[in-house]
Amino acid sequence: MKHILLILVLTTHLIRVTAQPIQYRGVKILFPSTVKGACERNKLGFKPPGFYYAQLADSVIMSLGYVYTMADFYNETQPASVLYDRQLTTYLFKFEDKTGRFEVEQKNLEMLIGRRLTLSNEEGSSSINYTSEKRKQMPVFGNFRLARGATKDGVFVFLREVPRLSYKQKPLLQVFFFKNIPPEEIEIRVHAMD
Amino acid sequence: MKSFYFTFLAMLLVMAVRPMQAQTFSPELLTPTIRYQKANEPFIGVGVGIPIRKLFGTKKTMMLPKPSKFVTNESVRSIPVTPSSTITSNKNSKGTNVPVNSRDENTRDRRLNDKVPVLDDDNPSKGVATNQCYDVWLTTFYSDGTSDERLMYTFCVSDQPPTKDRNGPSGPGRGDTDSKSKMERLLEEIETNDCERRYARLHPWIIPLMYLNRAQNDSWCRQKYPEAATQGESSPNSMRHALFQAQNFCTIGESATRDMSQRHEVCDNVVQGPSQAASDMDTFNNEAGIGIGRELQSLGLCDNFVAMATFIEEAYFNGRLRRIDGQPTP
């Protein structure tokens, strides 16, 4: 009886700590996976040479990031199946329409992963190196807010505004889920200008 | 019975501690910390330090590979291996004319300007010697100050596709079949169509230069605008096209750049892109890139990739490039 109870308690405990896959805006964030796996799970569309995406509600576009080589994107008419075996590293959610909802989305993500995100101000990785006088005239000069965190299973979560260098650009939001990618590459990606 | 109660209480304690962890973490500990290995120091790694560190004084770590030296620059030089050549002089990186036929001094720099022969479309082999072979050497410079040089391939000017028969008929020069197959592999790797290949076989010196330009272009896109590479119809893709044309203008010259870009978009009167709109967008941005290349050359900035990327990025944000819908970027 004693042993049964012990096993019961231990089993309950283990079930509680088992990794739960994250589901964000109807998309199951699953690692490790290939492009093909993600396409089949989420019925993704494709734009050549290597853009796998899904149009979600509220003008959100989800796309995949994966390990690629230099020659993967030269043929701008290649079929979707060419890159199916690539290892998945990123789920990217781009908010194409609604702006100014950074705090709301931050709370949503914190509730999703059960942890708080760390907020910081960052500078985008632009090649343009303006003078200080010119910088003052720019709207935000590529500066953007970034919130970062990680789930218990080691999935890195980032929320950011897209860096802007033009008044024509809106301060749109992006959400990233990373895994199986070196941290320095994560930093490069979240500081990229698009 | 006593031990049963003791076990049960211990389990309850474990269960009680877990929710407490969720309440006591501090968000700044979530930030991943990266430490690289110094010489003769054990590797530490990267870690997200809660809540295990708080409870047990240890840090959960995830191993990172030791960073290796990285490539800072690459250059290509071609050495003629037979006496005759159609190119009589060229400029090195200091702007001095150097003879390309001299094996010792012919540092055939990447910046060819307009020294490549201009081809007549009706007579594509005009002005091109078809019995000239070159060794193409790639020099790679690393972040730790070292460099190495390796023979990429030997190519011979020919307007015929390569033969796979090692003992069969082939053009002049040593290792001809092998060299052609390597050249063809490079052409395949940068996804050239039949029209581009016909041109490139007559101007083989542009192939390694275009290949390196592609590599540099890809590296820049990966860092600054990943969508420019992955989505052909995206707005940042205009920068990828314009940058590649500016790079080519500064390395293989205007006529070869324009010829190759036109053949890339329309080959044998067939539009090569996924749609007419995409082809129009690419054509417009290619021409803008050639214009930017001309500006860079007039300012003496062709050797400066950062300046080139800045010009392209400014053109993008100032609406000099075009989106798929024909509107100015961004």
Side-chain angles (χ1 to χ4, degrees), chain B residues 235-264:
Chain B
S235 185
N237 182 260
S238 59
M239 279 188 284
R240 176 179 161 89
H241 277 265
L243 178 61
F244 190 51
Q245 301 311 316
Q247 289 175 288
N248 287 343
F249 183 96
C250 286
T251 50
I252 66 174
E254 181 168 356
S255 56
T257 301
R258 185 166 275 117
D259 257 317
M260 286 296 278
S261 66
Q262 286 169 353
R263 286 159 192 255
H264 186 74

Short mmCIF file of all heavy atoms in Angstrom, two decimals, chain B residues 235-264:
data_model
loop_
_atom_site.label_atom_id
_atom_site.label_comp_id
_atom_site.label_asym_id
_atom_site.label_seq_id
_atom_site.Cartn_x
_atom_site.Cartn_y
_atom_site.Cartn_z
N SER B 235 9.27 43.29 -49.92
CA SER B 235 9.84 44.61 -50.18
C SER B 235 11.37 44.62 -50.01
O SER B 235 12.08 45.17 -50.86
CB SER B 235 9.16 45.62 -49.25
OG SER B 235 9.58 46.90 -49.52
N PRO B 236 11.91 44.00 -48.94
CA PRO B 236 13.38 44.01 -48.80
C PRO B 236 14.12 43.26 -49.90
O PRO B 236 15.30 43.46 -50.10
CB PRO B 236 13.61 43.33 -47.44
CG PRO B 236 12.34 43.45 -46.71
CD PRO B 236 11.27 43.42 -47.75
N ASN B 237 13.39 42.39 -50.65
CA ASN B 237 14.04 41.67 -51.74
C ASN B 237 14.59 42.64 -52.80
O ASN B 237 15.53 42.32 -53.52
CB ASN B 237 13.05 40.69 -52.38
CG ASN B 237 13.67 39.86 -53.49
OD1 ASN B 237 13.50 40.14 -54.66
ND2 ASN B 237 14.44 38.85 -53.12
N SER B 238 13.98 43.84 -52.86
CA SER B 238 14.48 44.85 -53.81
C SER B 238 15.94 45.20 -53.50
O SER B 238 16.73 45.45 -54.40
CB SER B 238 13.61 46.10 -53.73
OG SER B 238 13.62 46.62 -52.42
N MET B 239 16.27 45.21 -52.19
CA MET B 239 17.65 45.53 -51.80
C MET B 239 18.61 44.43 -52.22
O MET B 239 19.74 44.70 -52.62
CB MET B 239 17.73 45.72 -50.28
CG MET B 239 17.30 47.07 -49.83
SD MET B 239 17.63 47.32 -48.09
CE MET B 239 16.33 46.39 -47.37
N ARG B 240 18.16 43.20 -52.10
CA ARG B 240 19.02 42.07 -52.49
C ARG B 240 19.41 42.20 -53.97
O ARG B 240 20.57 42.04 -54.33
CB ARG B 240 18.27 40.76 -52.23
CG ARG B 240 18.98 39.50 -52.67
CD ARG B 240 18.10 38.32 -52.30
NE ARG B 240 18.40 37.10 -53.00
CZ ARG B 240 19.27 36.19 -52.58
NH1 ARG B 240 19.95 36.39 -51.50
NH2 ARG B 240 19.46 35.08 -53.26
N HIS B 241 18.43 42.50 -54.81
CA HIS B 241 18.70 42.63 -56.24
C HIS B 241 19.60 43.83 -56.53
O HIS B 241 20.57 43.73 -57.28
CB HIS B 241 17.39 42.75 -57.02
CG HIS B 241 16.76 41.43 -57.29
ND1 HIS B 241 16.95 40.74 -58.46
CD2 HIS B 241 15.96 40.66 -56.52
CE1 HIS B 241 16.28 39.59 -58.41
NE2 HIS B 241 15.67 39.52 -57.24
N ALA B 242 19.23 44.98 -55.93
CA ALA B 242 20.00 46.20 -56.20
C ALA B 242 21.44 46.05 -55.71
O ALA B 242 22.39 46.47 -56.38
CB ALA B 242 19.33 47.39 -55.53
N LEU B 243 21.60 45.44 -54.55
CA LEU B 243 22.95 45.27 -54.00
C LEU B 243 23.79 44.36 -54.90
O LEU B 243 24.97 44.65 -55.16
CB LEU B 243 22.86 44.69 -52.57
CG LEU B 243 24.18 44.40 -51.88
CD1 LEU B 243 25.00 45.68 -51.72
CD2 LEU B 243 23.96 43.78 -50.51
N PHE B 244 23.19 43.29 -55.38
CA PHE B 244 23.93 42.36 -56.23
C PHE B 244 24.39 43.04 -57.52
O PHE B 244 25.52 42.85 -57.98
CB PHE B 244 23.06 41.14 -56.54
CG PHE B 244 23.81 40.03 -57.21
CD1 PHE B 244 25.01 39.55 -56.69
CD2 PHE B 244 23.33 39.44 -58.37
CE1 PHE B 244 25.70 38.52 -57.30
CE2 PHE B 244 24.02 38.40 -58.99
CZ PHE B 244 25.21 37.95 -58.46
N GLN B 245 23.53 43.87 -58.07
CA GLN B 245 23.92 44.57 -59.30
C GLN B 245 25.02 45.59 -59.03
O GLN B 245 25.95 45.74 -59.83
CB GLN B 245 22.71 45.27 -59.94
CG GLN B 245 21.57 44.34 -60.29
CD GLN B 245 22.02 43.13 -61.08
OE1 GLN B 245 22.82 43.23 -62.00
NE2 GLN B 245 21.53 41.96 -60.70
N ALA B 246 24.91 46.30 -57.90
CA ALA B 246 25.97 47.26 -57.55
C ALA B 246 27.29 46.54 -57.32
O ALA B 246 28.35 47.00 -57.76
CB ALA B 246 25.56 48.04 -56.30
N GLN B 247 27.24 45.39 -56.65
CA GLN B 247 28.46 44.59 -56.44
C GLN B 247 29.06 44.17 -57.78
O GLN B 247 30.26 44.27 -58.00
CB GLN B 247 28.13 43.33 -55.63
CG GLN B 247 27.80 43.57 -54.18
CD GLN B 247 27.36 42.26 -53.53
OE1 GLN B 247 26.28 41.75 -53.78
NE2 GLN B 247 28.22 41.71 -52.70
N ASN B 248 28.18 43.67 -58.66
CA ASN B 248 28.67 43.21 -59.96
C ASN B 248 29.23 44.38 -60.78
O ASN B 248 30.26 44.23 -61.44
CB ASN B 248 27.54 42.53 -60.74
CG ASN B 248 27.22 41.17 -60.17
OD1 ASN B 248 28.01 40.61 -59.41
ND2 ASN B 248 26.06 40.64 -60.50
N PHE B 249 28.56 45.52 -60.73
CA PHE B 249 29.05 46.69 -61.46
C PHE B 249 30.48 47.00 -61.05
O PHE B 249 31.34 47.31 -61.88
CB PHE B 249 28.14 47.89 -61.17
CG PHE B 249 28.51 49.13 -61.93
CD1 PHE B 249 27.87 49.45 -63.11
CD2 PHE B 249 29.51 49.98 -61.47
CE1 PHE B 249 28.22 50.58 -63.82
CE2 PHE B 249 29.86 51.11 -62.17
CZ PHE B 249 29.22 51.42 -63.35
N CYS B 250 30.72 46.93 -59.76
CA CYS B 250 32.04 47.28 -59.24
C CYS B 250 33.07 46.19 -59.45
O CYS B 250 34.26 46.42 -59.23
CB CYS B 250 31.93 47.60 -57.74
SG CYS B 250 31.16 49.18 -57.42
N THR B 251 32.66 45.00 -59.81
CA THR B 251 33.64 43.91 -59.94
C THR B 251 33.78 43.40 -61.37
O THR B 251 34.89 43.16 -61.83
CB THR B 251 33.27 42.73 -59.02
OG1 THR B 251 31.90 42.41 -59.24
CG2 THR B 251 33.52 43.05 -57.58
N ILE B 252 32.66 43.22 -62.08
CA ILE B 252 32.78 42.65 -63.43
C ILE B 252 32.48 43.67 -64.51
O ILE B 252 32.58 43.36 -65.70
CB ILE B 252 31.87 41.42 -63.61
CG1 ILE B 252 30.38 41.79 -63.53
CG2 ILE B 252 32.21 40.35 -62.60
CD1 ILE B 252 29.45 40.64 -63.84
N GLY B 253 32.10 44.90 -64.13
CA GLY B 253 31.87 45.95 -65.12
C GLY B 253 30.41 46.08 -65.52
O GLY B 253 29.60 45.17 -65.29
N GLU B 254 30.10 47.22 -66.12
CA GLU B 254 28.69 47.52 -66.40
C GLU B 254 28.08 46.61 -67.47
O GLU B 254 26.97 46.12 -67.32
CB GLU B 254 28.56 48.99 -66.85
CG GLU B 254 27.13 49.38 -67.14
CD GLU B 254 26.93 50.86 -67.30
OE1 GLU B 254 27.90 51.61 -67.11
OE2 GLU B 254 25.80 51.27 -67.62
N SER B 255 28.84 46.40 -68.56
CA SER B 255 28.23 45.64 -69.67
C SER B 255 27.94 44.20 -69.26
O SER B 255 26.86 43.67 -69.54
CB SER B 255 29.14 45.68 -70.89
OG SER B 255 30.42 45.19 -70.56
N ALA B 256 28.88 43.57 -68.57
CA ALA B 256 28.65 42.19 -68.14
C ALA B 256 27.52 42.13 -67.11
O ALA B 256 26.70 41.21 -67.12
CB ALA B 256 29.94 41.61 -67.55
N THR B 257 27.47 43.13 -66.22
CA THR B 257 26.41 43.16 -65.20
C THR B 257 25.04 43.26 -65.86
O THR B 257 24.12 42.50 -65.54
CB THR B 257 26.62 44.37 -64.27
OG1 THR B 257 27.89 44.27 -63.65
CG2 THR B 257 25.55 44.44 -63.20
N ARG B 258 24.94 44.19 -66.81
CA ARG B 258 23.64 44.40 -67.46
C ARG B 258 23.26 43.17 -68.29
O ARG B 258 22.12 42.72 -68.25
CB ARG B 258 23.69 45.66 -68.31
CG ARG B 258 22.34 45.99 -68.91
CD ARG B 258 22.25 47.38 -69.48
NE ARG B 258 21.94 48.37 -68.49
CZ ARG B 258 22.72 49.38 -68.14
NH1 ARG B 258 23.91 49.51 -68.69
NH2 ARG B 258 22.35 50.25 -67.23
N ASP B 259 24.22 42.62 -68.99
CA ASP B 259 23.94 41.42 -69.79
C ASP B 259 23.44 40.27 -68.93
O ASP B 259 22.45 39.62 -69.25
CB ASP B 259 25.21 40.98 -70.52
CG ASP B 259 25.18 41.38 -71.99
OD1 ASP B 259 24.12 41.20 -72.60
OD2 ASP B 259 26.19 41.89 -72.48
N MET B 260 24.13 40.03 -67.83
CA MET B 260 23.75 38.91 -66.97
C MET B 260 22.40 39.16 -66.31
O MET B 260 21.59 38.24 -66.20
CB MET B 260 24.83 38.67 -65.91
CG MET B 260 26.09 38.02 -66.41
SD MET B 260 25.84 36.34 -67.04
CE MET B 260 25.87 35.39 -65.54
N SER B 261 22.15 40.38 -65.88
CA SER B 261 20.88 40.64 -65.19
C SER B 261 19.71 40.55 -66.16
O SER B 261 18.64 40.03 -65.81
CB SER B 261 20.91 42.01 -64.50
OG SER B 261 20.98 43.04 -65.46
N GLN B 262 19.91 41.03 -67.39
CA GLN B 262 18.82 40.93 -68.37
C GLN B 262 18.54 39.48 -68.72
O GLN B 262 17.39 39.06 -68.84
CB GLN B 262 19.18 41.71 -69.64
CG GLN B 262 19.07 43.23 -69.43
CD GLN B 262 19.67 44.04 -70.57
OE1 GLN B 262 20.29 43.48 -71.47
NE2 GLN B 262 19.50 45.35 -70.51
N ARG B 263 19.60 38.70 -68.86
CA ARG B 263 19.42 37.29 -69.18
C ARG B 263 18.79 36.53 -68.01
O ARG B 263 18.12 35.52 -68.19
CB ARG B 263 20.76 36.65 -69.53
CG ARG B 263 21.26 37.06 -70.90
CD ARG B 263 22.75 36.86 -71.02
NE ARG B 263 23.26 37.51 -72.22
CZ ARG B 263 23.63 36.85 -73.32
NH1 ARG B 263 23.58 35.56 -73.35
NH2 ARG B 263 24.05 37.51 -74.37
N HIS B 264 19.04 37.02 -66.78
CA HIS B 264 18.46 36.37 -65.60
C HIS B 264 16.94 36.57 -65.57
O HIS B 264 16.20 35.69 -65.14
CB HIS B 264 19.09 36.96 -64.33
CG HIS B 264 18.66 36.25 -63.08
ND1 HIS B 264 19.13 35.00 -62.73
CD2 HIS B 264 17.81 36.61 -62.10
CE1 HIS B 264 18.58 34.62 -61.59
NE2 HIS B 264 17.77 35.59 -61.19
#
